[in-house]
Amino acid sequence: MTQPPDIAPVVLFVDDEEIIRLTVRQTLELAGLAVATYPTAEAALADISADTPGVLVTDVRLPGMSGLDLLSRVRALDAELPVVLVTGQGDVSMAVRAMQDGAYDFIEKPFVTDHFVEVIRRALEKRALVRENRRLRQALDQNAAVENHLLGQSPALVRTRRLVADLAGTDVDVLVLGETGTGKEQVARALHEGGPRAAFPFVAVNCGAIPDSMFESEMFGHEAGAFTGAAKRRVGKIEYAHRGTLFLDEIESMPLALQVKLLRVLQDRALERLGGNDRVAVDLRVVAATKENLLDLANAGRFRADLYYRLSVVTLTLPPLRDRREDIPLLFQHFALQAAARFRRPYAEPTPALLRALMLKDWPGNVRELRNAADRHVLGLAEDEGPGTDGGSLADILDGVERHLITEALRASGGQVTRAAETLGVPRKTLYDKMKRLNIGGAE
C-alpha cells in the first residue's frame, strides 16, 4: 500500500486484484497523476479524512466492506469528496442508484483509458474547487473573528489586526504586552477564534488572582488524595485547555516555583498532576499577557529568563488608546450600542462636543475605561468627560487628530513622505492627498 501525500492531489484507488491496481497505477502516473492503491476498503478508509486533497476510485465488489459501504462511510466524513465507482456489467443499475445517493460518477469495466483518466481529472478539478472555497470561507471567518475583537482604523490598530490575523492560523505561543485596559484578552480571543482551535476551549487565567497555595492545583490539577481535602481527581486549567488556547493574564504574577513547571509544559507539551506520576499530553496554544517588561523583571530575579525567552518567540505590543485617538468615536459608539442592549436603554447618538471631549482625554485606563464611560453615558450618569466640550464638528475633530498623526510621522521620518506613509500604513499617494487637504508640508 502506498500512503497518499498530505497536500498534493492524489487518486485513492481500491481494488482487490493486484494486476488491476498495478495497471491503474501505471495509467494514472503516465497521465501525470499521483496515485495510492489499496486492496481493501478498510485500508483506504484509514487514509481518508474530512479534507483529503484528492478523489476516491473504488471497485464496487470487494472482500469485507463493499465499495458502496465505503461510499457511505466517506460521505459521512466529507460529503463533498468525489467518489467514482468501478462496476461490472451487471452492476450498472446499482451504480446509477449510488450516484443518486451521492457518488460522483461510475465507470464500467472494462474501461477505456482515455475516458477513465478524463473522469478522474474532472473529479480532481471539482475537489480542488471545493477545497479552495473552504479555504476562502475559513479565511473570511477568521478575519471576521479578528475584526470583531479588534475594532478601529488607526494605523497602529490596523497593523496589530493584520499581525493577529497572520498568527491566528499558527500554533506559535504569543506574548502580548500592553498597558492595563488595552485589550490583551481581546487579542488572545482573536488569536483563538481566528484559528483552527476555535472549536475547542479558550481558558483564561488571571495569574494575579490565584493564591500561591492553590496555584499548582489550579493550573496542573491533582490526583485523589494528593493533599487534605482532595477527595477526587481534578483536571487543571492547562489540561482543560487541551486542543484549545490557554490565556495567562498577568503572567508576571506567577510564582517563580510554578514558572519552572510551566516552562516544562511549554517545552514537552505534557504535565503531571499534583500527587501523580503519569505524564498527561496536552495540545494547546499559550498566549501570555503582561503590562510589565519581563526582561527587566528577569534581570532583577523576579521572573525566569528562560520562561521569558520561551514565551516571547512572538511579542505583540498593543498601543494605548491615547496613541490611536481617531478610533475613540467608533469604539465609544460600539460600546454604547452594546450597553444600550445590555441595560435595555434607548441608544442616544453621542454629540460632536462629547466625542471631541472624549478624544482629548488621555484615558489611562485605555479601552476598558472608555467602555465604562459608554456605560455611564447610556445610563444617564455621565459627567463632564473632559476639556473641550463646547464646540467643533466631528469632521473638524477627526481632521485635527489626523493632522497631528501625520505631522508626528513626518517629524519621526525626518520629512520623508515615503517613510511616513510606511509608518502610518497607507499608500504614499493617499498620504500626499491627505497632506494637501490638511495643508501639511513635507519633503522627500
Side-chain angles (χ1 to χ4, degrees), residues 49-267:
S49 68
D51 198 39
T52 293
V55 301
L56 173 65
V57 183
T58 179
D59 194 10
V60 171
R61 299 187 183 276
L62 296 168
M65 184 189 300
S66 71
L68 295 179
D69 291 335
L70 179 57
L71 167 67
S72 177
R73 296 284 292 275
V74 167
R75 283 188 58 75
L77 282 172
D78 186 344
E80 294 180 296
L81 178 67
V83 178
V84 178
L85 299 176
V86 179
T87 68
Q89 290 184 348
D91 297 328
V92 173
S93 61
M94 174 267 295
V96 171
R97 290 195 300 274
M99 287 185 64
Q100 294 172 343
D101 291 336
Y104 175 76
D105 205 342
F106 73 92
I107 299 173
E108 188 177 358
K109 293 180 180 178
F111 46 76
V112 178
T113 298
D114 290 347
H115 175 64
F116 178 70
V117 172
E118 179 59 28
V119 169
I120 292 175
R121 285 194 188 281
R122 289 201 309 269
L124 285 169
E125 289 172 359
K126 178 182 178 181
R127 184 59 173 171
L129 182 61
V130 165
R131 297 185 75 234
E132 176 63 11
N133 286 339
R134 287 179 180 177
R135 187 192 66 79
L136 292 173
R137 285 198 300 270
Q138 182 182 33
L140 288 172
D141 290 344
Q142 291 175 352
N143 287 336
V146 174
E147 292 271 355
N148 289 339
H149 287 288
L150 300 173
L151 290 175
Q153 293 302 322
S154 62
L157 199 281
V158 169
R159 286 193 297 273
T160 300
R161 191 163 55 227
R162 186 183 302 123
L163 185 54
V164 169
D166 289 342
L167 293 171
T170 73
D171 278 336
V172 64
D173 296 334
V174 177
L175 178 63
V176 185
L177 178 64
E179 297 178 6
T180 298
T182 49
K184 295 185 288 293
E185 182 169 346
Q186 293 301 308
V187 168
R189 289 187 179 277
L191 287 166
H192 175 74
E193 294 177 16
R197 297 182 180 273
F200 300 100
F202 176 87
V203 180
V205 178
N206 187 322
C207 298
I210 303 176
D212 288 4
S213 60
M214 298 176 57
F215 210 102
E216 186 171 7
S217 174
E218 283 290 315
M219 294 299 297
F220 296 90
H222 61 251
E223 299 289 353
F227 51 84
T228 302
K232 60 182 180 179
R233 170 185 290 175
R234 183 181 186 278
V235 171
K237 301 291 189 183
I238 297 175
E239 190 176 347
Y240 186 69
H242 179 60
R243 301 184 72 184
T245 299
L246 177 67
F247 174 57
L248 300 174
D249 197 11
E250 297 187 24
I251 185 71
E252 72 277 5
S253 302
M254 180 176 285
L256 284 170
L258 272 298
Q259 292 178 26
V260 180
K261 295 194 69 173
L262 176 62
L263 178 62
R264 179 62 61 87
V265 171
L266 296 179
Q267 291 172 339

